[in-house]
Amino acid sequence: MARSAARGQADREEILAPIRRYCPGCGRRLRYRYDNQRTVVTLGGLVHLRLQIRRCETPGCQHHRRPYRPEGEGSLVLPQHEFGLDIIALIGALRYREHKSVPEMHGVLRERGVVIAERTVTNLLDRYDELMATSLADDDRLRAALVGQGRVILALDGLQPDVGHEVLWVVRECLSGEVLLARSLLSSTSEDLAALLREVVAKVGVPVTGVISDGQHSVRRAVRLALPGVPHQLCQFHYLREAAHPIFEADRHAKKELKKRIRGVRPIERAVEDRDDAEARGVRGYCAAVRSAITDDGQPPLAASGLRLEGRLKAVVASLDRVAEKDPMRLDGGLAW
């Protein structure tokens, strides 16, 4: 359904000019002739783009009157789109990294102030998939990047965004970080995965000196079938996660106990709602710091959220102690949790 109301005013304006100054056909200077204007929705708000268009005015040139648009436009938005590439990238990350559904992605964007329809989220997810497919299909670029290395180390892993659906298998090159192949498979047998590895080996054109994966039996057998004699190492992260599991559980329990001791922030905020003096602003600042510390979770096993919470709460307490030392009468007793 078409939008029934116009978008608001742009938050900022950017003026973009073409980097190319001379015609590739005749070599003469391109003339600045007119502007194109468009408004782009980004995560940082609405951006009004003023695009300076240049043309070759040499009669007889094969590029005569051909418009040259600013190259920087392509780094912000796709042609004939109103949503920026940063929004498309966020949608792709929410889908394939955090496995969120379309309604969940729509909710995240709305929370970040992006006015967007749920159907548009689906359309932009399709654009993300098309951009990824275009990037992965550029074999010449990949070969040029890998020939300089002289070797590749492959990482193989499967992602299943929704239970019961196809598994997206991704083959990544560890030294360069390039994604070499991404394909959804209905079955994940050793033969299917071995075929993916053989396709990647034919594409890269340089020797494969190692493979990293998890301990799934079908993956291990596929590596033996497709790459006999190539060293195969199980992922260090899986080892680390299993080894750190007892520490993670202890840290999670400590965080839960810390949260129990700092309940009651909201009543303190209510007590100064109608005030706008310096003390009230300070109280609200401390309450906001405590709220931020409580809601900030770490990514186990490399980030211990319980220890992080303890450190931030100690910083808040130390700040309150310094205030009390300067002027004990200004410190509300309700803040000393």
Side-chain angles (χ1 to χ4, degrees):
M1 184 175 65
R3 188 171 61 247
S4 59
R7 292 197 179 276
Q9 294 293 325
D11 301 311
R12 66 183 189 277
E13 181 183 64
E14 292 190 17
I15 301 175
L16 302 180
I19 298 176
R20 182 185 292 275
R21 298 288 179 172
Y22 296 92
C23 176
C26 64
R28 296 196 176 183
R29 190 173 184 85
L30 297 172
R31 301 296 182 182
Y32 170 36
R33 285 309 182 199
Y34 58 91
D35 289 344
N36 273 354
Q37 301 189 43
R38 61 188 300 191
T39 300
V40 180
V41 183
T42 70
L43 293 176
L46 291 177
V47 180
H48 180 75
L49 299 181
R50 186 154 67 87
L51 311 172
Q52 298 179 357
I53 310 301
R54 295 181 178 271
R55 294 191 315 195
C56 176
E57 300 294 348
T58 305
C61 177
Q62 59 180 337
H63 299 284
H64 180 54
R65 291 187 176 276
R66 174 182 173 180
Y68 285 89
R69 303 174 68 87
E71 296 82 354
E73 180 186 11
S75 66
L76 298 174
V77 62
L78 293 175
Q80 302 178 1
H81 279 64
E82 64 174 325
F83 291 93
L85 289 172
D86 55 348
I87 293 180
I88 296 178
L90 176 61
I91 289 174
L94 292 174
R95 178 61 172 174
Y96 297 115
R97 184 186 301 168
E98 302 184 23
H99 311 316
K100 292 186 179 295
S101 64
V102 170
E104 289 174 332
M105 292 187 288
H106 180 248
V108 171
L109 290 170
R110 294 301 297 266
E111 289 175 359
R112 298 188 64 162
V114 179
V115 180
I116 187 172
E118 190 171 305
R119 180 180 295 180
T120 305
V121 175
T122 302
N123 295 336
L124 294 181
L125 180 60
D126 292 338
R127 301 294 82 75
Y128 177 86
D129 293 336
E130 291 168 357
L131 290 172
M132 286 297 300
T134 301
S135 175
L136 296 176
D138 190 356
D139 294 343
D140 293 337
R141 182 188 64 82
L142 285 175
R143 281 200 177 93
L146 299 177
V147 164
Q149 296 179 182
R151 63 190 180 105
V152 294
I153 299 176
L154 304 180
L156 175 64
D157 197 8
L159 306 172
Q160 190 173 26
D162 295 309
V163 177
H165 288 69
E166 297 176 338
V167 177
L168 176 64
W169 286 95
V170 179
V171 182
R172 187 172 62 88
E173 204 284 307
C174 296
L175 299 178
S176 64
E178 294 281 355
V179 176
L180 305 180
L181 184 68
R183 184 168 301 162
S184 296
L185 298 177
L186 288 172
S187 64
S188 301
T189 64
S190 299
E191 290 73 16
D192 294 332
L193 299 180
L196 290 183
L197 290 173
R198 294 189 186 100
E199 184 177 345
V200 170
V201 171
K203 177 187 293 188
V204 297
V206 293
V208 178
T209 58
V211 180
I212 299 175
S213 73
D214 59 20
Q216 187 173 331
H217 291 292
S218 60
V219 175
R220 296 163 71 174
R221 187 168 181 272
V223 174
R224 290 197 299 268
L225 290 174
L227 300 168
V230 174
H232 181 199
Q233 176 179 300
L234 300 187
C235 175
Q236 299 98 325
F237 180 80
H238 288 80
Y239 279 113
L240 178 61
R241 184 178 61 185
E242 295 299 323
H245 184 71
I247 300 175
F248 166 70
E249 289 297 328
D251 180 76
R252 186 169 64 88
H253 177 73
K255 182 178 181 180
K256 182 176 68 174
E257 294 301 318
L258 282 172
K259 284 185 175 181
K260 290 181 181 179
R261 300 176 57 184
I262 53 176
R263 301 297 182 188
V265 175
R266 184 56 184 153
I268 299 174
E269 291 175 318
R270 285 199 183 101
V272 294
E273 276 182 344
D274 299 329
R275 294 169 51 188
D276 195 31
D277 54 278
E279 293 181 7
R281 290 194 294 271
V283 170
R284 284 193 288 268
Y286 280 114
C287 291
V290 173
R291 285 187 181 278
S292 175
I294 293 175
T295 57
D296 188 12
D297 292 326
Q299 293 292 330
L302 300 179
S305 56
L307 290 176
R308 179 183 298 177
L309 174 60
E310 182 188 25
R312 292 184 174 181
L313 292 179
K314 283 182 176 179
V316 173
V317 171
S319 178
L320 288 169
D321 289 341
R322 289 193 295 272
V323 173
E325 291 175 0
K326 292 180 180 179
D327 190 353
M329 298 301 296
R330 294 182 61 188
L331 181 63
D332 187 352
L335 283 176
W337 289 284

